[in-house]
């Protein structure tokens, strides 16, 4: 049983790695493997938190915004029902990505700021940095970005912006 949990997380990490490398189709394959493996072992909060955000990213990059929105909504539902502050932040980051893809940058920035604050409060600086990097990108060139956000964004140098 533990092997299936480990495989889900391995495939989720593979998806993130493949996205960073620009290999969208390989990332899509990894997300599909993670999803199928997770379905075989049933509900698991940690597995959902690992692969669903990557599924959202892959779906958005493939232009499948409605499906990404469904994944983000499912992640939010899981976070509300069983998760803590970190899973809520993971869900909020995924929601921000979808909202940004829908062309609502102000709403996305608010979600990102909330997710960033929750990650920082929990000691998850890398995830906070991923939020900050997306915040900087959404603000656009020449925008005034708070020093705290700029500093965090600089921590992530290989992560794709998707």
């Amino acid at each position: 049983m533990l092997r299936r949990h480990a495989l889900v997380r391995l495939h989720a990490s593979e998806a993130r790695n493949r996205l960073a490398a620009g290999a969208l189709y390989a990332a899509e394959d990894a997300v599909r493997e993670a999803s199928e493996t997770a379905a075989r072992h049933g509900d698991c909060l940690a597995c959902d938190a690992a692969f669903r955000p990557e599924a959202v990213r892959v779906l958005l990059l493939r232009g499948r915004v409605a499906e990404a929105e469904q994944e983000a909504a499912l992640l939010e539902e899981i976070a509300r029902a069983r998760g803590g502050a970190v899973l809520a932040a993971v869900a909020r980051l995924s929601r921000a990505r979808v909202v940004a893809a829908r062309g609502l940058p102000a709403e996305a920035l608010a979600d990102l700021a909330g997710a960033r604050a929750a990650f920082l409060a929990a000691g998850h600086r890398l995830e906070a940095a991923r939020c900050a990097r997306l915040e900087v990108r959404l603000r656009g060139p020449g925008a005034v970005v708070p020093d705290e956000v700029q500093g965090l964004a600089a921590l992530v140098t290989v992560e794709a912006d998707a």
Side-chain angles (χ1 to χ4, degrees):
M1 190 62 159
L2 288 177
R3 180 174 175 251
R4 288 186 183 154
H5 292 278
L7 279 173
V8 170
R9 294 174 200 156
L10 177 71
H11 289 305
S13 294
E14 178 186 13
R16 184 179 279 192
N17 175 273
R18 297 295 79 213
L19 285 171
L24 176 58
Y25 294 109
E28 189 172 25
D29 289 343
V31 165
R32 186 174 27 262
E33 287 290 330
S35 179
E36 289 170 359
T37 303
R40 285 194 294 272
H41 71 63
D43 291 339
C44 174
L45 191 65
C47 288
D48 284 329
F51 91 85
R52 290 193 188 284
E54 304 314 318
V56 168
R57 293 177 66 207
V58 166
L59 289 165
L60 289 173
L61 287 168
R62 296 277 285 136
R64 294 160 44 194
V65 178
E67 290 174 66
E69 192 161 27
Q70 289 172 346
E71 277 292 331
L74 183 57
L75 191 54
E76 288 174 318
E77 182 181 316
I78 291 166
R80 269 191 303 276
R82 303 179 314 181
V86 173
L87 184 55
V90 169
R92 197 161 187 188
L93 171 56
S94 291
R95 171 61 55 198
R97 292 180 189 282
V98 172
V99 169
R102 292 261 185 226
L104 302 167
E107 189 177 331
L109 286 168
D111 283 337
L112 287 167
R116 177 175 39 84
F119 283 131
L120 285 173
H124 293 249
R125 285 183 52 85
L126 178 59
E127 294 306 318
R130 293 177 77 208
C131 292
R133 183 171 166 124
L134 192 51
E135 284 179 77
V136 169
R137 192 187 85 184
L138 283 175
R139 288 176 190 273
V144 176
V145 178
D147 290 342
E148 174 191 355
V149 174
Q150 289 258 22
L152 278 171
L155 294 176
V156 182
T157 58
V158 297
E159 180 71 24
D161 285 329

